[in-house]
Amino acid sequence: PSEDDLENSVSLDVSKEQEDFRQFLIQRYGSLCHAFDVMDANSSGALSLVEFQSVVATVLRYCRPADARRLFLSFNEDPGAMLTWDELGISSTEWMNHLLQKRTKQRQVMAQALKNATAPLGSGPRMVEASEKHSSRLRLPRKREDIAFWAPLPAGWGRPPSFEPQAVKKA
Protein backbone atom coordinates (compact mmCIF):
# COMPACT_ATOMS: atom_id res chain seq x y z
CA PRO A 1 0.00 0.00 0.00
CA SER A 2 1.10 3.53 -0.70
CA GLU A 3 1.59 6.22 1.96
CA ASP A 4 -1.58 8.00 0.85
CA ASP A 5 -3.69 4.92 1.60
CA LEU A 6 -2.26 4.62 5.12
CA GLU A 7 -2.70 8.31 5.79
CA ASN A 8 -6.38 8.18 4.82
CA SER A 9 -7.04 5.07 6.91
CA VAL A 10 -5.38 6.48 10.04
CA SER A 11 -6.49 10.11 9.87
CA LEU A 12 -9.80 11.26 11.28
CA ASP A 13 -12.48 12.87 9.22
CA VAL A 14 -12.64 16.16 11.11
CA SER A 15 -15.88 17.37 9.57
CA LYS A 16 -17.57 14.03 10.39
CA GLU A 17 -16.33 14.24 14.00
CA GLN A 18 -17.70 17.78 14.28
CA GLU A 19 -21.05 16.79 12.78
CA ASP A 20 -21.31 13.74 15.08
CA PHE A 21 -20.64 15.97 18.08
CA ARG A 22 -23.25 18.50 16.93
CA GLN A 23 -25.81 15.71 16.47
CA PHE A 24 -24.99 14.39 19.96
CA LEU A 25 -25.58 17.85 21.45
CA ILE A 26 -28.85 18.30 19.56
CA GLN A 27 -30.06 14.89 20.68
CA ARG A 28 -29.05 15.56 24.28
CA TYR A 29 -30.24 19.17 24.67
CA GLY A 30 -32.69 19.74 21.81
CA SER A 31 -30.67 22.49 20.15
CA LEU A 32 -27.10 23.66 19.75
CA CYS A 33 -27.99 26.97 21.39
CA HIS A 34 -29.21 25.30 24.58
CA ALA A 35 -26.21 22.94 24.55
CA PHE A 36 -23.79 25.88 24.25
CA ASP A 37 -25.57 27.63 27.12
CA VAL A 38 -25.17 24.55 29.32
CA MET A 39 -21.51 24.11 28.40
CA ASP A 40 -20.77 27.80 29.07
CA ALA A 41 -20.73 27.47 32.87
CA ASN A 42 -19.48 31.00 33.56
CA SER A 43 -21.86 32.61 31.02
CA SER A 44 -19.01 34.42 29.27
CA GLY A 45 -20.35 33.67 25.79
CA ALA A 46 -17.28 31.63 24.87
CA LEU A 47 -15.69 28.33 25.91
CA SER A 48 -12.04 28.00 26.85
CA LEU A 49 -10.19 24.78 26.11
CA VAL A 50 -10.29 23.74 29.78
CA GLU A 51 -14.00 24.55 30.09
CA PHE A 52 -14.78 22.61 26.90
CA GLN A 53 -12.67 19.61 27.95
CA SER A 54 -14.19 19.39 31.41
CA VAL A 55 -17.76 19.53 30.15
CA VAL A 56 -17.33 17.23 27.14
CA ALA A 57 -15.17 14.62 28.90
CA THR A 58 -16.61 14.56 32.42
CA VAL A 59 -20.15 15.96 32.40
CA LEU A 60 -21.31 14.73 29.00
CA ARG A 61 -18.94 11.73 28.94
CA TYR A 62 -18.78 12.09 25.19
CA CYS A 63 -15.08 11.25 24.87
CA ARG A 64 -11.75 11.24 26.70
CA PRO A 65 -10.05 14.57 27.59
CA ALA A 66 -7.45 14.11 24.83
CA ASP A 67 -10.21 13.57 22.27
CA ALA A 68 -12.08 16.59 23.65
CA ARG A 69 -8.94 18.69 23.13
CA ARG A 70 -8.66 17.44 19.55
CA LEU A 71 -12.34 18.22 18.98
CA PHE A 72 -11.91 21.76 20.41
CA LEU A 73 -8.91 22.37 18.15
CA SER A 74 -10.90 21.14 15.15
CA PHE A 75 -13.39 23.97 15.77
CA ASN A 76 -10.72 26.53 16.64
CA GLU A 77 -7.05 25.91 15.84
CA ASP A 78 -5.60 28.21 18.52
CA PRO A 79 -5.42 26.38 21.92
CA GLY A 80 -5.38 29.70 23.79
CA ALA A 81 -8.43 30.98 21.98
CA MET A 82 -12.06 30.73 22.97
CA LEU A 83 -14.72 28.69 21.17
CA THR A 84 -17.72 30.87 20.38
CA TRP A 85 -21.26 29.93 19.44
CA ASP A 86 -20.72 30.72 15.76
CA GLU A 87 -17.67 28.41 15.58
CA LEU A 88 -19.86 25.62 16.95
CA GLY A 89 -22.18 26.09 13.98
CA ILE A 90 -24.93 28.27 15.44
CA SER A 91 -26.21 31.02 13.17
CA SER A 92 -26.58 34.55 14.52
CA THR A 93 -30.36 34.38 13.99
CA GLU A 94 -30.63 31.18 16.03
CA TRP A 95 -28.45 32.62 18.79
CA MET A 96 -30.36 35.91 19.02
CA ASN A 97 -33.67 34.03 19.08
CA HIS A 98 -32.33 31.77 21.85
CA LEU A 99 -31.18 34.76 23.92
CA LEU A 100 -34.55 36.45 23.44
CA GLN A 101 -36.42 33.31 24.58
CA LYS A 102 -34.07 32.92 27.54
CA ARG A 103 -34.57 36.54 28.59
CA THR A 104 -38.35 36.22 28.20
CA LYS A 105 -38.38 33.10 30.38
CA GLN A 106 -36.29 34.87 33.05
CA ARG A 107 -38.74 37.78 33.05
CA GLN A 108 -41.70 35.40 33.41
CA VAL A 109 -40.03 33.70 36.36
CA MET A 110 -39.33 37.08 37.97
CA ALA A 111 -42.91 38.26 37.38
CA GLN A 112 -44.29 35.03 38.88
CA ALA A 113 -42.00 35.39 41.91
CA LEU A 114 -43.19 38.98 42.40
CA LYS A 115 -46.80 37.88 42.03
CA ASN A 116 -46.28 35.13 44.62
CA ALA A 117 -44.58 37.52 47.03
CA THR A 118 -47.34 40.12 46.85
CA ALA A 119 -50.27 37.68 46.89
CA PRO A 120 -52.46 37.70 50.01
CA LEU A 121 -51.83 34.88 52.45
CA GLY A 122 -53.20 31.59 51.09
CA SER A 123 -53.88 32.83 47.57
CA GLY A 124 -50.48 32.22 45.97
CA PRO A 125 -50.27 29.62 43.19
CA ARG A 126 -48.53 27.11 45.45
CA MET A 127 -51.18 27.41 48.18
CA VAL A 128 -54.03 27.22 45.67
CA GLU A 129 -52.58 24.07 44.11
CA ALA A 130 -52.03 22.49 47.54
CA SER A 131 -55.61 23.29 48.52
CA GLU A 132 -56.96 21.75 45.28
CA LYS A 133 -54.94 18.57 45.81
CA HIS A 134 -56.15 18.32 49.40
CA SER A 135 -59.77 18.75 48.30
CA SER A 136 -59.43 16.06 45.64
CA ARG A 137 -57.94 13.65 48.18
CA LEU A 138 -60.90 14.27 50.49
CA ARG A 139 -63.46 13.80 47.69
CA LEU A 140 -61.85 10.65 46.25
CA PRO A 141 -60.32 8.68 49.10
CA ARG A 142 -57.89 5.98 48.00
CA LYS A 143 -57.86 2.46 49.28
CA ARG A 144 -55.60 2.39 52.32
CA GLU A 145 -52.54 0.23 51.87
CA ASP A 146 -50.99 -1.73 54.68
CA ILE A 147 -48.37 0.57 56.10
CA ALA A 148 -45.59 -0.06 58.58
CA PHE A 149 -43.32 2.73 59.75
CA TRP A 150 -44.87 5.19 57.27
CA ALA A 151 -43.98 3.05 54.24
CA PRO A 152 -46.16 0.61 52.27
CA LEU A 153 -45.49 -3.05 52.90
CA PRO A 154 -44.03 -5.15 50.08
CA ALA A 155 -46.43 -7.21 47.94
CA GLY A 156 -47.63 -10.32 49.77
CA TRP A 157 -47.04 -8.87 53.23
CA GLY A 158 -49.77 -7.75 55.59
CA ARG A 159 -52.78 -9.41 57.12
CA PRO A 160 -53.72 -12.85 55.86
CA PRO A 161 -56.89 -12.74 53.70
CA SER A 162 -58.98 -14.75 56.21
CA PHE A 163 -57.74 -13.11 59.40
CA GLU A 164 -60.43 -13.28 62.08
CA PRO A 165 -59.19 -12.56 65.58
CA GLN A 166 -60.44 -15.13 68.08
CA ALA A 167 -62.27 -13.89 71.11
CA VAL A 168 -60.41 -14.73 74.26
CA LYS A 169 -62.32 -17.42 76.20
CA LYS A 170 -62.54 -16.98 79.94
CA ALA A 171 -62.08 -20.13 81.92
Side-chain angles (χ1 to χ4, degrees):
S2 70
E3 287 182 27
D4 292 334
D5 292 340
L6 290 175
E7 184 179 316
N8 289 334
S9 67
V10 174
S11 69
L12 294 173
D13 184 5
V14 175
S15 60
K16 183 178 179 345
E17 291 294 322
Q18 289 177 346
E19 189 56 35
D20 289 347
F21 181 64
R22 287 185 187 110
Q23 289 305 314
F24 171 79
L25 292 176
I26 291 170
Q27 187 177 25
R28 180 88 178 247
Y29 293 107
S31 74
L32 286 176
C33 296
H34 185 63
F36 188 85
D37 244 1
V38 171
M39 289 193 299
D40 187 16
N42 60 2
S43 299
S44 64
L47 300 172
S48 67
L49 175 59
V50 173
E51 194 176 10
F52 184 83
Q53 272 183 309
S54 65
V55 171
V56 172
T58 57
V59 176
L60 297 175
R61 295 181 182 220
Y62 180 74
C63 59
R64 298 176 309 202
D67 295 331
R69 175 181 166 78
R70 191 177 309 120
L71 187 60
F72 178 88
L73 293 174
S74 75
F75 285 112
N76 187 339
E77 294 186 15
D78 181 11
M82 305 289 269
L83 181 66
T84 59
W85 48 267
D86 60 335
E87 292 170 329
L88 194 60
I90 302 170
S91 71
S92 59
T93 307
E94 288 175 313
W95 186 246
M96 290 302 147
N97 189 26
H98 172 73
L99 290 179
L100 182 63
Q101 288 176 350
K102 185 177 167 184
R103 200 171 298 127
T104 302
K105 191 172 188 176
Q106 286 174 341
R107 287 180 181 161
Q108 287 174 343
V109 167
M110 293 288 288
Q112 188 64 40
L114 181 62
K115 183 178 175 184
N116 291 348
T118 59
L121 187 61
S123 65
R126 184 172 175 210
M127 287 296 294
V128 169
E129 183 181 358
S131 177
E132 289 171 359
K133 283 185 178 180
H134 179 71
S135 298
S136 70
R137 282 195 306 268
L138 291 176
R139 280 193 307 266
L140 306 168
R142 293 185 310 191
K143 180 183 172 191
R144 178 84 185 206
E145 299 176 15
D146 286 329
I147 296 178
F149 302 106
W150 303 277
L153 292 173
W157 290 35
R159 294 183 176 155
S162 62
F163 179 74
E164 296 286 334
Q166 298 278 334
V168 179
K169 294 182 183 179
K170 293 183 181 182

